[in-house]
């Protein structure tokens, strides 16, 4: 969790490629206002995030805009992995694997105990490839990112960024090999 | 299903909001009477309301971005809240959320209470909040909703659109509660719906008129689940419900 002030830029770099970076945002002044995947999709009439995408809040305001993207496409419908969904999707013995939900909850509660699970909604999965099909399907596919690819955003208001570099080992979202991502923040 | 088999039958005017507690093993049928309908739905575990319908977990666990017969609505805790056990419609949207006041005004024009009294144009966000507030919930609990009776297609580039196939008068869907579920409904238009301001060729407002209702019907599912004896169970009630014609006594206001 980190604060990004209005006008500042943030860059996430997929250093070794094929990573998934689960990311969520709050209005820093009013955390009841948060990133909304469905409002983002609805406003741009497209399910994939890339350069030009405005990240929209649950109050229909722009939190940040994606201003550069060398990957080309990012997901916002797959959500964050959790012991619960891993158990449903894979097997009961996956319950104790590390997950983005664990990362999210720990970071939120360490930041401020006014936060709880209720404050989470569907997040962004930067660098993750979740194609939707014309017949209504959705799947987690091999990544289209590569070493050194990055996405860059500019903040339109003071926001909190919540990041979990996805530890998922059950599907190809992190290439079955979670690797580091670089987080850069600067005054534009 | 003969109408006298329903324990409750209600008509929800377009644009309005409603909630009901559906006990485990009971089912709810939603019917889009006009064909123009959209029913936004949120679902919570009535016994532990921090457990709620989770769009992303529902989609990825079933490799789908539509809801249809056989799908379940998963909670964030990995448990089905509602199962779609009947569906004449075939493709219900999950990825577009709901409308807010500014969107409704931009799409349909200004028609507030001062102008139109109870015919005023309502929106999904405010409707959900007013209903959530009645149950001790609030903005934090307004997560992405399902949109029944609205079909949203996606092309290869990811562009989305509301399908004409959404117009199906009489379409219905049946949802069975797998836990005790608080169901919150909004009958505001789908957020991709084009109104007269967007589609100037339209002769009349496509905002569904109040009085062109949606119908909700709760009934006990005939097939009790393996773990429960439902003969002693009673549906829990939201406010302002009346006994459906033919329903057994004792299911009225409690």
């Amino acid at each position: 969790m980190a604060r990004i002030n209005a006008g500042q830029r943030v860059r996430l770099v997929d250093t070794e490629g094929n990573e998934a970076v689960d990311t969520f945002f709050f209005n820093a002044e009013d955390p009841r206002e948060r990133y909304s995947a469905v409002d983002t999709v609805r406003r741009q009439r497209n399910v994939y995030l890339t350069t030009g995408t405005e990240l929209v809040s649950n109050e229909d305001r722009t939190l940040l805009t994606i201003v550069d993207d060398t990957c080309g496409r990012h997901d916002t419908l797959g959500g964050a992995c959790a012991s619960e969904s891993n158990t449903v999707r894979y097997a009961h013995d996956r319950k104790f694997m590390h997950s983005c939900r664990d990362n999210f909850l720990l970071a939120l509660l360490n930041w401020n105990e006014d936060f709880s699970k209720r404050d989470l909604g569907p997040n962004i999965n930067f660098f993750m490839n979740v194609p939707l099909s014309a017949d209504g399907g959705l799947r987690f596919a091999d990544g289209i990112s590569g070493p050194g690819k990055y996405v860059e955003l500019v903040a339109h208001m003071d926001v909190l960024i919540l990041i979990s570099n996805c530890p998922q080992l059950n599907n190809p979202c992190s290439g079955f090999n979670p690797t580091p991502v670089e987080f850069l923040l600067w005054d534009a | 299903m003969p109408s006298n088999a329903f324990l409750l039958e209600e008509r929800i005017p377009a644009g309005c909001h409603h909630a009901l507690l559906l006990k485990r093993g009971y089912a709810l049928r939603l019917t889009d009477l006009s064909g123009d309908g959209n029913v936004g739905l949120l679902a919570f575990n009535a016994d532990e309301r921090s457990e709620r319908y989770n769009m992303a977990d529902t989609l990825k666990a079933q490799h789908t971005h539509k809801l249809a017969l056989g799908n379940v609505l998963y909670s964030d805790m990995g448990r089905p809240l509602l199962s779609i056990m009947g569906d004449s419609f075939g493709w219900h949207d999950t990825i577009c959320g709901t409308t807010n006041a500014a969107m409704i005004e931009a799409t349909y024009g200004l028609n507030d209470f001062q102008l139109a009294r109870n015919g005023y144009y309502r929106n999904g966000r405010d409707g959900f909040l007013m209903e959530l507030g009645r149950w001790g919930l609030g903005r934090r609990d307004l997560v992405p909703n399902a949109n029944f009776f609205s079909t949203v297609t996606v092309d290869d580039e990811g562009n989305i659109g509301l399908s004409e196939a959404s117009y199906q008068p009489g379409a219905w869907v049946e949802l069975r509660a797998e836990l005790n579920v608080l169901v919150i409904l909004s009958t505001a238009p789908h957020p991709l719906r084009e109104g007269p301001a967007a589609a100037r060729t339209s002769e009349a407002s496509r905002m569904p008129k109040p009085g062109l209702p949606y119908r909700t019907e709760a009934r006990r599912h005939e097939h009790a689940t393996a773990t429960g004896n439902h003969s002693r169970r009673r549906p829990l009630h939201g406010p302002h419900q009346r006994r459906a014609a033919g329903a057994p006594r004792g299911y009225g206001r409690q």
Side-chain angles (χ1 to χ4, degrees):
Chain A
M1 192 96 143
R3 185 185 175 102
I4 303 170
N5 292 324
Q8 288 184 323
R9 290 198 173 212
V10 59
R11 183 184 288 192
L12 294 166
V13 185
D14 188 1
T15 56
E16 297 183 35
N18 214 3
E19 196 41 57
V21 186
D22 290 48
T23 307
F24 199 63
F25 296 98
F26 299 95
N27 175 344
E29 303 306 319
D30 173 18
R32 297 291 179 266
E33 181 172 9
R34 65 193 184 203
Y35 172 72
S36 171
V38 289
D39 287 298
T40 298
V41 165
R42 184 260 309 157
R43 186 187 288 183
Q44 70 170 6
R45 301 289 198 269
N46 192 291
V47 295
Y48 305 122
L49 277 48
T50 186
T51 304
T53 296
E54 297 176 354
L55 306 185
V56 180
S57 78
N58 57 342
E59 304 296 345
D60 204 18
R61 301 198 298 166
T62 303
L63 298 167
L64 306 97
T65 299
I66 300 177
V67 291
D68 199 2
D69 175 20
T70 61
C71 174
R73 191 161 108 176
H74 310 267
D75 164 68
T76 194
L77 297 175
C81 63
S83 61
E84 292 83 3
S85 60
N86 279 343
T87 306
V88 170
R89 297 178 73 195
Y90 304 110
H92 287 284
D93 65 7
R94 314 297 163 91
K95 175 175 169 57
F96 298 103
M97 295 174 78
H98 192 31
S99 68
C100 286
R101 167 176 279 189
D102 283 358
N103 279 339
F104 277 170
L105 288 174
L106 185 62
L108 282 181
L109 296 176
N110 279 334
W111 185 270
N112 182 333
E113 287 204 7
D114 289 340
F115 280 115
S116 77
K117 189 184 76 171
R118 292 169 71 195
D119 296 300
L120 291 171
N123 49 282
I124 299 166
N125 293 302
F126 285 117
F127 310 114
M128 191 165 133
N129 185 22
V130 181
L132 273 59
S133 62
D135 63 356
L138 172 150
R139 64 193 174 93
F140 284 26
D142 280 336
I144 54 174
S145 186
K149 295 203 172 182
Y150 66 86
V151 60
E152 190 173 309
L153 307 100
V154 62
H156 291 253
M157 64 175 83
D158 296 351
V159 297
L160 301 174
I161 183 171
L162 175 64
I163 297 176
S164 168
N165 187 6
C166 186
Q168 178 64 273
L169 294 174
N170 294 298
N171 68 50
C173 74
S174 294
F176 301 100
N177 177 32
T179 49
V181 292
E182 203 167 24
F183 172 73
L184 304 168
L185 174 66
W186 70 95
D187 290 318
Chain B
M1 175 60 55
S3 62
N4 63 4
F6 294 111
L7 303 174
L8 293 166
E9 184 169 347
E10 297 175 272
R11 293 193 172 202
I12 308 173
C16 292
H17 50 88
H18 186 59
L20 71 162
L21 281 162
L22 198 63
K23 272 205 166 182
R24 181 177 174 211
Y26 286 79
L28 169 72
R29 179 188 288 186
L30 301 170
T31 305
D32 176 8
L33 297 177
S34 71
D36 263 347
N38 179 71
V39 181
L41 179 144
L42 297 168
F44 299 81
N45 176 347
D47 301 314
E48 172 50 66
R49 291 179 198 164
S50 71
E51 179 176 6
R52 60 197 183 188
Y53 166 64
N54 185 299
M55 175 267 279
D57 286 2
T58 295
L59 302 193
K60 66 188 176 191
Q62 299 173 100
H63 293 152
T64 186
H65 67 87
K66 66 181 181 186
L67 292 174
L69 179 68
N71 285 131
V72 301
L73 282 72
Y74 275 107
S75 81
D76 60 284
M77 300 301 278
R79 302 196 287 182
L81 290 166
L82 299 165
S83 297
I84 301 179
M85 46 178 277
D87 177 22
S88 79
F89 189 76
W91 183 317
H92 307 274
D93 165 54
T94 59
I95 61 172
C96 289
T98 192
T99 51
N100 60 39
M103 289 163 60
I104 290 291
E105 184 175 338
T107 306
Y108 302 98
L110 177 66
N111 195 32
D112 63 13
F113 184 81
Q114 199 64 44
L115 290 169
R117 292 295 184 248
N118 282 304
Y120 80 99
Y121 291 167
R122 303 155 196 242
N123 67 84
R125 185 260 190 195
D126 292 354
F128 277 136
L129 276 187
M130 287 185 273
E131 212 56 61
L132 289 166
R134 283 175 164 82
W135 299 88
L137 302 170
R139 286 163 75 197
R140 307 161 87 185
D141 307 292
L142 212 177
V143 290
N145 54 284
N147 283 308
F148 288 96
F149 309 122
S150 294
T151 296
V152 172
T153 54
V154 182
D155 70 17
D156 289 343
E157 283 72 49
N159 300 304
I160 58 173
L162 187 64
S163 168
E164 288 299 316
S166 299
Y167 183 78
Q168 291 184 34
W172 55 270
V173 61
E174 286 189 5
L175 306 166
R176 184 179 64 194
E178 307 298 345
L179 299 168
N180 295 332
V181 176
L182 170 61
V183 176
I184 311 266
L185 303 173
S186 163
T187 52
H190 189 275
L192 297 189
R193 183 73 177 280
E194 291 190 346
R200 297 187 188 284
T201 54
S202 178
E203 290 182 6
S205 167
R206 296 182 66 192
M207 178 84 173
K209 298 282 190 298
L212 278 180
Y214 307 81
R215 191 165 66 199
T216 68
E217 299 151 325
R219 67 183 175 84
R220 215 187 97 206
H221 186 222
E222 304 94 319
H223 309 292
T225 55
T227 53
N229 170 10
H230 299 290
S231 62
R232 290 178 288 108
R233 295 179 190 274
R234 295 286 186 274
L236 298 172
H237 289 181
H240 312 308
Q241 297 180 334
R242 62 180 173 78
R243 191 168 62 90
R249 292 194 180 276
Y251 288 93
R253 200 184 295 248
Q254 290 179 343

